[in-house]
Coordinates of all heavy atoms in Angstrom, one line a residue:
M338 N 169.8 87.8 -134.3 CA 168.5 87.9 -134.8 C 168.4 88.8 -136.1 O 167.6 88.6 -136.9 CB 167.5 88.5 -133.8 CG 167.2 87.5 -132.7 SD 166.2 88.1 -131.4 CE 164.8 88.7 -132.3
L339 N 169.3 89.7 -136.2 CA 169.4 90.5 -137.4 C 170.2 90.0 -138.5 O 170.3 90.5 -139.6 CB 169.9 91.9 -137.1 CG 169.0 92.7 -136.1 CD1 169.6 94.1 -135.8 CD2 167.6 93.0 -136.8
S340 N 170.9 88.9 -138.2 CA 171.8 88.2 -139.2 C 173.0 89.1 -139.5 O 173.6 88.9 -140.5 CB 171.1 87.8 -140.5 OG 170.0 87.0 -140.2
T341 N 173.4 90.0 -138.6 CA 174.5 90.8 -138.8 C 175.8 90.1 -138.3 O 176.9 90.4 -138.8 CB 174.4 92.2 -138.1 OG1 174.2 92.0 -136.7 CG2 173.3 93.0 -138.7
T342 N 175.6 89.2 -137.4 CA 176.7 88.3 -137.0 C 176.2 86.9 -136.8 O 175.0 86.7 -136.5 CB 177.3 88.8 -135.6 OG1 176.3 88.8 -134.6 CG2 177.9 90.2 -135.7
L343 N 177.0 85.9 -136.9 CA 176.6 84.6 -136.8 C 176.7 84.1 -135.4 O 177.6 84.5 -134.7 CB 177.4 83.6 -137.7 CG 177.3 83.9 -139.2 CD1 178.3 83.0 -140.0 CD2 175.9 83.6 -139.7
G344 N 175.7 83.4 -134.9 CA 175.7 82.8 -133.5 C 176.7 81.6 -133.5 O 176.9 80.9 -134.4
Y345 N 177.2 81.5 -132.3 CA 178.2 80.3 -132.1 C 177.5 79.1 -131.5 O 177.8 78.0 -131.7 CB 179.3 80.8 -131.2 CG 180.2 81.8 -131.8 CD1 180.0 83.2 -131.4 CD2 181.1 81.5 -132.8 CE1 180.8 84.1 -132.0 CE2 181.9 82.5 -133.4 CZ 181.8 83.8 -133.0 OH 182.5 84.8 -133.6
E346 N 176.5 79.4 -130.7 CA 175.7 78.3 -130.1 C 174.4 78.8 -129.6 O 174.1 80.0 -129.5 CB 176.5 77.7 -128.9 CG 176.8 78.7 -127.8 CD 177.6 78.1 -126.7 OE1 178.8 77.9 -126.9 OE2 177.0 77.7 -125.6
G347 N 173.5 77.9 -129.3 CA 172.2 78.2 -128.9 C 171.2 78.5 -130.0 O 171.6 78.4 -131.2
D348 N 170.0 78.9 -129.7 CA 169.0 79.2 -130.7 C 168.1 80.2 -130.2 O 167.8 80.3 -129.0 CB 168.3 77.9 -131.1 CG 167.6 77.9 -132.4 OD1 167.7 78.9 -133.1 OD2 167.0 76.9 -132.8
V349 N 167.5 81.0 -131.1 CA 166.4 81.9 -130.7 C 165.1 81.3 -131.2 O 165.0 80.9 -132.4 CB 166.6 83.3 -131.4 CG1 165.5 84.2 -131.1 CG2 167.9 83.9 -130.9
L350 N 164.1 81.2 -130.3 CA 162.8 80.6 -130.6 C 161.8 81.7 -130.7 O 161.8 82.6 -129.9 CB 162.5 79.6 -129.6 CG 163.4 78.4 -129.3 CD1 162.9 77.5 -128.3 CD2 163.7 77.7 -130.6
Y351 N 160.9 81.5 -131.6 CA 159.7 82.4 -131.7 C 158.5 81.4 -131.7 O 158.3 80.6 -132.6 CB 159.7 83.2 -133.0 CG 158.5 84.1 -133.1 CD1 158.5 85.3 -132.4 CD2 157.5 83.8 -133.9 CE1 157.4 86.1 -132.5 CE2 156.3 84.6 -134.0 CZ 156.3 85.8 -133.3 OH 155.2 86.6 -133.4
H352 N 157.7 81.5 -130.6 CA 156.6 80.6 -130.4 C 157.0 79.1 -130.6 O 156.3 78.3 -131.3 CB 155.4 80.9 -131.4 CG 154.7 82.2 -131.1 ND1 153.8 82.3 -130.0 CD2 154.8 83.4 -131.6 CE1 153.3 83.5 -130.0 NE2 154.0 84.2 -130.9
G353 N 158.1 78.8 -130.0 CA 158.6 77.4 -130.0 C 159.3 77.0 -131.3 O 159.8 75.8 -131.3
K354 N 159.4 77.8 -132.3 CA 160.1 77.5 -133.5 C 161.4 78.3 -133.6 O 161.4 79.5 -133.4 CB 159.2 77.7 -134.7 CG 158.0 76.8 -134.8 CD 157.3 77.1 -136.1 CE 156.1 76.2 -136.2 NZ 155.3 76.4 -137.5
S355 N 162.4 77.6 -134.1 CA 163.7 78.2 -134.3 C 163.6 79.3 -135.4 O 162.9 79.1 -136.4 CB 164.8 77.2 -134.8 OG 165.9 77.9 -135.2
I356 N 164.2 80.5 -135.2 CA 164.1 81.5 -136.3 C 164.8 81.0 -137.5 O 164.5 81.5 -138.6 CB 164.6 82.9 -135.8 CG1 166.1 82.8 -135.4 CG2 163.8 83.4 -134.7 CD1 166.8 84.1 -135.2
H357 N 165.7 80.0 -137.4 CA 166.4 79.5 -138.6 C 165.4 78.7 -139.4 O 165.5 78.6 -140.6 CB 167.6 78.6 -138.2 CG 168.6 79.4 -137.4 ND1 169.4 80.4 -138.0 CD2 169.0 79.4 -136.1 CE1 170.2 81.0 -137.1 NE2 170.0 80.4 -136.0
Q358 N 164.4 78.0 -138.7 CA 163.4 77.3 -139.4 C 162.4 78.2 -140.1 O 161.9 78.0 -141.2 CB 162.6 76.4 -138.5 CG 163.4 75.2 -138.0 CD 162.6 74.5 -136.9 OE1 161.9 75.0 -136.1 NE2 162.8 73.1 -136.9
L359 N 162.1 79.4 -139.4 CA 161.2 80.3 -140.0 C 161.8 81.1 -141.1 O 161.0 81.7 -141.9 CB 160.8 81.3 -138.9 CG 160.0 80.7 -137.7 CD1 159.8 81.7 -136.6 CD2 158.6 80.2 -138.2
G360 N 163.1 81.2 -141.2 CA 163.8 82.0 -142.3 C 163.5 83.4 -142.0 O 163.3 83.9 -140.9
D361 N 163.5 84.2 -143.1 CA 163.3 85.6 -143.0 C 161.9 86.0 -142.6 O 161.6 87.2 -142.2 CB 163.6 86.3 -144.3 CG 165.1 86.3 -144.6 OD1 165.9 86.2 -143.7 OD2 165.5 86.5 -145.8
D362 N 160.9 85.1 -142.6 CA 159.5 85.4 -142.2 C 159.4 85.9 -140.8 O 158.5 86.7 -140.5 CB 158.6 84.2 -142.5 CG 158.4 83.9 -143.9 OD1 158.6 84.9 -144.7 OD2 158.1 82.8 -144.3
Y363 N 160.3 85.5 -139.9 CA 160.2 85.9 -138.5 C 160.4 87.4 -138.3 O 159.8 88.0 -137.4 CB 161.1 85.1 -137.6 CG 162.5 85.6 -137.6 CD1 162.9 86.5 -136.6 CD2 163.5 85.2 -138.5 CE1 164.2 87.0 -136.6 CE2 164.8 85.7 -138.5 CZ 165.1 86.6 -137.6 OH 166.4 87.1 -137.6
R364 N 161.1 88.0 -139.2 CA 161.4 89.4 -139.1 C 160.1 90.2 -139.3 O 160.0 91.3 -138.8 CB 162.4 89.8 -140.1 CG 163.8 89.4 -139.8 CD 164.8 90.1 -140.7 NE 166.2 89.7 -140.4 CZ 166.9 88.8 -141.1 NH1 166.4 88.4 -142.2 NH2 168.1 88.5 -140.7
K365 N 159.1 89.7 -140.0 CA 157.9 90.3 -140.2 C 157.0 90.3 -138.9 O 156.0 91.0 -138.8 CB 157.1 89.7 -141.4 CG 157.8 89.8 -142.7 CD 157.1 89.1 -143.8 CE 158.0 89.1 -145.1 NZ 157.5 88.1 -146.1
M366 N 157.4 89.4 -138.0 CA 156.6 89.1 -136.8 C 157.1 89.9 -135.6 O 156.4 89.9 -134.6 CB 156.5 87.6 -136.5 CG 155.9 86.8 -137.6 SD 156.0 85.1 -137.2 CE 156.9 84.4 -138.5
I367 N 158.3 90.4 -135.7 CA 158.9 91.0 -134.5 C 159.4 92.4 -134.8 O 159.6 92.7 -136.0 CB 160.0 90.2 -133.9 CG1 161.2 90.0 -134.9 CG2 159.6 88.8 -133.4 CD1 162.4 89.4 -134.3
G368 N 159.6 93.2 -133.8 CA 160.1 94.5 -134.0 C 161.6 94.6 -133.5 O 162.0 93.7 -132.9
Y369 N 162.2 95.7 -133.9 CA 163.6 95.9 -133.5 C 163.8 97.3 -133.0 O 163.3 98.2 -133.7 CB 164.5 95.6 -134.6 CG 166.0 95.9 -134.3 CD1 166.8 95.2 -133.5 CD2 166.5 97.1 -134.9 CE1 168.1 95.5 -133.2 CE2 167.8 97.4 -134.6 CZ 168.6 96.7 -133.7 OH 169.9 97.0 -133.5
M370 N 164.4 97.5 -131.9 CA 164.7 98.8 -131.4 C 166.2 98.8 -130.9 O 166.6 98.0 -130.1 CB 163.8 99.2 -130.2 CG 164.1 100.5 -129.7 SD 163.6 101.7 -130.9 CE 164.1 103.2 -130.1
P371 N 167.0 99.6 -131.6 CA 168.4 99.6 -131.2 C 168.6 100.0 -129.7 O 167.8 100.7 -129.2 CB 169.0 100.7 -132.1 CG 168.1 100.9 -133.2 CD 166.7 100.5 -132.7
Q372 N 169.6 99.4 -129.1 CA 169.8 99.7 -127.7 C 170.7 100.9 -127.5 O 171.6 100.9 -126.6 CB 170.5 98.5 -127.0 CG 169.5 97.3 -127.0 CD 168.3 97.6 -126.1 OE1 168.4 98.0 -125.0 NE2 167.1 97.4 -126.7
Q373 N 170.4 101.9 -128.2 CA 171.1 103.2 -128.0 C 170.3 104.0 -127.1 O 169.2 104.4 -127.3 CB 171.3 103.9 -129.4 CG 172.0 103.1 -130.4 CD 171.9 103.7 -131.8 OE1 171.0 104.4 -132.1 NE2 172.9 103.4 -132.6
Q374 N 170.9 104.3 -125.9 CA 170.2 105.0 -124.9 C 170.2 106.5 -125.0 O 169.5 107.2 -124.4 CB 170.7 104.6 -123.5 CG 170.6 103.1 -123.2 CD 169.2 102.6 -123.3 OE1 168.3 103.3 -122.9 NE2 169.0 101.4 -123.8
S375 N 171.1 107.0 -125.9 CA 171.2 108.5 -126.1 C 170.6 108.9 -127.4 O 170.5 108.1 -128.3 CB 172.7 108.9 -126.0 OG 173.4 108.3 -127.1
L376 N 170.2 110.1 -127.5 CA 169.7 110.6 -128.7 C 170.8 111.0 -129.7 O 171.9 111.4 -129.2 CB 168.9 111.9 -128.4 CG 167.6 111.7 -127.6 CD1 167.0 113.1 -127.3 CD2 166.6 110.8 -128.3
I377 N 170.6 110.7 -130.9 CA 171.6 111.1 -131.9 C 171.4 112.5 -132.3 O 170.3 113.0 -132.7 CB 171.4 110.2 -133.2 CG1 171.6 108.7 -132.8 CG2 172.4 110.6 -134.3 CD1 171.2 107.8 -133.9
P378 N 172.5 113.3 -132.1 CA 172.4 114.8 -132.3 C 171.9 115.0 -133.8 O 172.3 114.4 -134.7 CB 173.8 115.3 -132.1 CG 174.5 114.3 -131.3 CD 173.8 113.0 -131.7
N379 N 171.0 116.0 -133.9 CA 170.5 116.5 -135.2 C 169.7 115.4 -136.0 O 169.5 115.6 -137.2 CB 171.6 117.0 -136.0 CG 172.3 118.2 -135.3 OD1 171.6 119.0 -134.7 ND2 173.6 118.2 -135.4
L380 N 169.3 114.3 -135.4 CA 168.5 113.3 -136.1 C 167.1 113.7 -136.1 O 166.4 113.9 -135.1 CB 168.6 111.9 -135.4 CG 167.9 110.8 -136.1 CD1 168.6 110.5 -137.4 CD2 167.9 109.5 -135.2
T381 N 166.5 113.9 -137.3 CA 165.2 114.4 -137.4 C 164.2 113.2 -137.3 O 164.6 112.1 -137.4 CB 164.9 115.1 -138.8 OG1 165.1 114.1 -139.8 CG2 165.9 116.2 -139.0
V382 N 162.9 113.5 -137.1 CA 161.9 112.5 -137.0 C 161.9 111.7 -138.4 O 161.9 110.5 -138.4 CB 160.5 113.1 -136.8 CG1 159.4 112.0 -137.0 CG2 160.5 113.7 -135.4
E383 N 162.0 112.4 -139.5 CA 162.0 111.8 -140.8 C 163.2 110.9 -140.9 O 163.0 109.7 -141.4 CB 162.0 112.9 -141.9 CG 161.9 112.3 -143.3 CD 161.9 113.4 -144.3 OE1 162.1 114.6 -144.0 OE2 161.6 113.0 -145.5
S384 N 164.4 111.3 -140.5 CA 165.6 110.5 -140.6 C 165.4 109.2 -139.7 O 165.9 108.1 -140.1 CB 166.8 111.3 -140.2 OG 167.0 112.3 -141.1
F385 N 164.8 109.4 -138.5 CA 164.7 108.3 -137.6 C 163.7 107.2 -138.3 O 164.0 106.0 -138.2 CB 164.1 108.7 -136.3 CG 163.8 107.6 -135.3 CD1 164.9 107.0 -134.7 CD2 162.5 107.2 -135.1 CE1 164.6 105.9 -133.8 CE2 162.3 106.1 -134.3 CZ 163.3 105.5 -133.6
L386 N 162.6 107.7 -138.9 CA 161.7 106.8 -139.5 C 162.4 106.0 -140.7 O 162.2 104.8 -140.8 CB 160.5 107.5 -140.0 CG 159.6 108.1 -138.9 CD1 158.5 109.0 -139.6 CD2 158.9 107.0 -138.1
I387 N 163.2 106.7 -141.4 CA 163.9 106.1 -142.5 C 164.9 105.0 -142.0 O 165.0 103.9 -142.5 CB 164.6 107.1 -143.4 CG1 163.5 108.0 -144.1 CG2 165.6 106.5 -144.4 CD1 164.1 109.2 -144.8
Y388 N 165.6 105.4 -140.9 CA 166.6 104.5 -140.3 C 165.9 103.3 -139.8 O 166.4 102.1 -140.1 CB 167.3 105.3 -139.2 CG 168.1 104.5 -138.2 CD1 169.3 103.9 -138.7 CD2 167.7 104.2 -136.9 CE1 170.1 103.1 -137.8 CE2 168.5 103.5 -136.1 CZ 169.7 102.9 -136.5 OH 170.5 102.2 -135.7
M389 N 164.8 103.4 -139.0 CA 164.2 102.2 -138.5 C 163.5 101.4 -139.6 O 163.6 100.1 -139.5 CB 163.1 102.7 -137.5 CG 163.7 103.3 -136.2 SD 164.9 102.2 -135.3 CE 163.8 100.9 -134.8
S390 N 163.0 102.0 -140.6 CA 162.4 101.2 -141.7 C 163.5 100.4 -142.4 O 163.3 99.3 -142.8 CB 161.7 102.2 -142.7 OG 160.7 102.8 -142.0
T391 N 164.6 101.0 -142.6 CA 165.8 100.4 -143.3 C 166.2 99.2 -142.4 O 166.5 98.1 -143.0 CB 166.9 101.3 -143.5 OG1 166.4 102.4 -144.3 CG2 168.1 100.7 -144.2
M392 N 166.3 99.4 -141.1 CA 166.7 98.3 -140.2 C 165.7 97.1 -140.3 O 166.0 96.0 -140.2 CB 166.8 98.8 -138.8 CG 167.9 99.8 -138.5 SD 169.5 99.1 -138.7 CE 169.6 98.1 -137.2
K393 N 164.4 97.4 -140.5 CA 163.4 96.4 -140.6 C 163.4 95.7 -142.0 O 162.8 94.7 -142.1 CB 162.0 97.1 -140.3 CG 160.8 96.2 -140.3 CD 160.8 95.4 -139.0 CE 159.5 94.6 -139.0 NZ 159.5 93.6 -138.0
G394 N 164.1 96.3 -142.9 CA 164.2 95.6 -144.2 C 163.1 96.0 -145.2 O 162.8 95.3 -146.2
I395 N 162.5 97.2 -144.9 CA 161.4 97.6 -145.8 C 162.0 98.2 -147.1 O 163.0 98.9 -147.0 CB 160.5 98.7 -145.1 CG1 159.9 98.0 -143.9 CG2 159.5 99.2 -146.0 CD1 159.1 98.9 -143.0
K396 N 161.4 98.0 -148.2 CA 161.9 98.5 -149.5 C 161.9 100.0 -149.5 O 161.0 100.6 -149.0 CB 161.1 97.9 -150.7 CG 161.3 96.4 -150.8 CD 160.5 95.9 -152.0 CE 160.7 94.4 -152.0 NZ 159.9 93.7 -153.1
R397 N 162.9 100.5 -150.2 CA 163.1 102.0 -150.3 C 161.9 102.7 -150.8 O 161.5 103.8 -150.2 CB 164.3 102.3 -151.1 CG 164.8 103.7 -151.0 CD 166.2 103.7 -151.5 NE 167.0 104.9 -151.2 CZ 167.4 105.3 -150.0 NH1 167.0 104.6 -148.9 NH2 168.1 106.3 -149.8
N398 N 161.2 102.3 -151.8 CA 160.0 103.0 -152.3 C 158.9 103.0 -151.3 O 158.1 103.9 -151.2 CB 159.6 102.5 -153.7 CG 159.2 101.0 -153.7 OD1 159.7 100.2 -152.9 ND2 158.2 100.7 -154.5
V399 N 158.7 101.9 -150.6 CA 157.7 101.8 -149.6 C 158.0 102.7 -148.4 O 157.2 103.4 -147.9 CB 157.5 100.3 -149.1 CG1 156.5 100.2 -148.0 CG2 157.1 99.5 -150.3
I400 N 159.3 102.8 -148.0 CA 159.8 103.7 -147.0 C 159.4 105.1 -147.3 O 158.8 105.8 -146.5 CB 161.3 103.5 -146.7 CG1 161.6 102.2 -146.1 CG2 161.8 104.7 -145.8 CD1 163.1 101.9 -146.0
S401 N 159.7 105.5 -148.5 CA 159.5 106.9 -148.9 C 158.0 107.2 -148.9 O 157.6 108.3 -148.3 CB 160.0 107.1 -150.3 OG 159.8 108.4 -150.8
E402 N 157.2 106.4 -149.4 CA 155.7 106.6 -149.4 C 155.2 106.6 -147.9 O 154.4 107.5 -147.6 CB 155.1 105.4 -150.1 CG 153.6 105.6 -150.3 CD 153.0 104.4 -151.1 OE1 153.5 104.1 -152.1 OE2 152.0 103.9 -150.6
N403 N 155.6 105.7 -147.1 CA 155.1 105.6 -145.7 C 155.6 106.8 -144.9 O 154.8 107.4 -144.1 CB 155.5 104.3 -145.0 CG 154.7 103.1 -145.6 OD1 153.7 103.3 -146.3 ND2 155.2 101.9 -145.4
V404 N 156.8 107.2 -145.0 CA 157.4 108.3 -144.3 C 156.7 109.6 -144.7 O 156.3 110.4 -143.8 CB 158.9 108.4 -144.5 CG1 159.5 109.7 -143.9 CG2 159.6 107.2 -143.7
N405 N 156.4 109.8 -146.0 CA 155.7 111.0 -146.4 C 154.3 111.0 -145.8 O 153.9 112.1 -145.4 CB 155.6 111.0 -147.9 CG 157.0 111.4 -148.6 OD1 157.8 112.0 -148.0 ND2 157.1 111.0 -149.8
T406 N 153.6 109.9 -145.8 CA 152.3 109.8 -145.2 C 152.4 110.2 -143.7 O 151.5 111.0 -143.2 CB 151.7 108.4 -145.3 OG1 151.6 108.1 -146.7 CG2 150.3 108.3 -144.7
I407 N 153.3 109.7 -143.0 CA 153.4 109.9 -141.5 C 153.8 111.4 -141.3 O 153.2 112.1 -140.5 CB 154.5 109.0 -140.9 CG1 154.0 107.6 -140.9 CG2 154.8 109.5 -139.5 CD1 155.0 106.5 -140.6
M408 N 154.7 111.9 -142.1 CA 155.2 113.3 -141.9 C 154.0 114.3 -142.2 O 153.9 115.3 -141.5 CB 156.4 113.6 -142.8 CG 157.6 112.8 -142.4 SD 158.2 113.1 -140.7 CE 158.6 114.8 -140.7
N409 N 153.2 114.0 -143.2 CA 152.1 114.8 -143.5 C 151.0 114.8 -142.4 O 150.3 115.8 -142.2 CB 151.5 114.5 -144.9 CG 152.3 114.9 -146.0 OD1 153.1 115.9 -145.9 ND2 152.3 114.1 -147.1
A410 N 150.9 113.6 -141.8 CA 149.9 113.5 -140.7 C 150.4 114.3 -139.4 O 149.5 114.7 -138.6 CB 149.8 112.0 -140.3
L411 N 151.7 114.6 -139.3 CA 152.2 115.3 -138.2 C 152.1 116.8 -138.3 O 152.2 117.5 -137.3 CB 153.7 114.9 -137.9 CG 153.9 113.4 -137.5 CD1 155.4 113.1 -137.4 CD2 153.2 113.1 -136.2
I412 N 151.9 117.2 -139.5 CA 151.8 118.7 -139.8 C 150.5 119.3 -139.3 O 149.5 118.8 -139.5 CB 152.1 119.0 -141.3 CG1 153.5 118.5 -141.7 CG2 151.9 120.5 -141.6 CD1 153.8 118.6 -143.1

């Protein structure tokens, strides 16, 4: 689903449509959470937000703006 590896068989459907038919648009419709069950030592909230935003494919300037907004809201 992240296009990091190619599938060998089968298909992933989103509301009955193949994600291959939807192209990159399907990524805007779903979320992603890595299956890491342990905490990463010394990973800050800010770093986590940047990491997840990067995984989602958000542009760097948008990430910076949004992360700053979120961090200021937490203070």
Side-chain angles (χ1 to χ4, degrees):
M338 288 178 55
L339 294 175
S340 302
T341 54
T342 59
L343 297 175
Y345 295 101
E346 60 183 76
D348 203 359
V349 175
L350 303 178
Y351 180 80
H352 289 282
K354 292 185 179 178
S355 168
I356 61 169
H357 299 290
Q358 291 173 325
L359 295 171
D361 288 340
D362 289 337
Y363 82 92
R364 288 192 180 104
K365 298 173 187 169
M366 299 178 237
I367 61 172
Y369 171 74
M370 182 65 183
Q372 292 298 308
Q373 299 168 336
Q374 300 302 323
S375 62
L376 296 175
I377 301 171
N379 302 317
L380 184 68
T381 64
V382 171
E383 184 176 11
S384 295
F385 177 76
L386 292 171
I387 292 168
Y388 169 69
M389 292 304 295
S390 298
T391 302
M392 295 292 287
K393 185 73 176 165
I395 298 172
K396 293 181 181 177
R397 194 162 196 62
N398 63 326
V399 175
I400 291 172
S401 179
E402 183 179 314
N403 289 342
V404 168
N405 286 336
T406 299
I407 292 167
M408 295 302 294
N409 288 330
L411 295 175
I412 296 174

